[in-house]
Amino acid sequence: MAHTFEDLVTLEQAAETAHAHYLTTDGDPAARQAWIDAAAAFQQAVTEHAEAEGKVRYEVKKAVRHPGV
């Protein structure tokens, strides 16, 4: 499934939120797994989007994480 740029932003924000939550849990394995899963979903979506759009994966990821740069 191709992802829109907005989907990528949402997935990246979810991964960042999961990471922030993990950092507050004193190493809770469930929170760590949630962070890993969210980050993996973001990475996979970036790859799919880049392939679908004929773009370089790194550039897509950079655009999502650093808009306007």
Side-chain angles (χ1 to χ4, degrees), residues 2 5 16 24 29 31-33 35 42 50 52 57 60 62 65 67-69:
F5 187 80
E16 291 296 324
T24 66
R32 182 178 183 274
Q33 190 61 52
W35 168 36
F42 169 63
R57 186 186 178 291
V60 171
K62 180 180 168 186
R65 289 195 166 170
V69 174

Side-chain angles (χ1 to χ4, degrees), residues 12-67:
E12 196 272 339
Q13 289 171 342
E16 291 296 324
T17 299
H19 182 228
H21 175 70
Y22 170 67
L23 293 175
T24 66
T25 66
D26 198 30
D28 176 46
R32 182 178 183 274
Q33 190 61 52
W35 168 36
I36 291 170
D37 293 345
F42 169 63
Q43 296 296 339
Q44 181 64 35
V46 167
T47 299
E48 291 171 4
H49 181 80
E51 289 174 356
E53 297 290 319
K55 296 182 179 178
V56 177
R57 186 186 178 291
Y58 170 79
E59 293 298 328
V60 171
K61 186 175 173 182
K62 180 180 168 186
V64 171
R65 289 195 166 170
H66 308 286

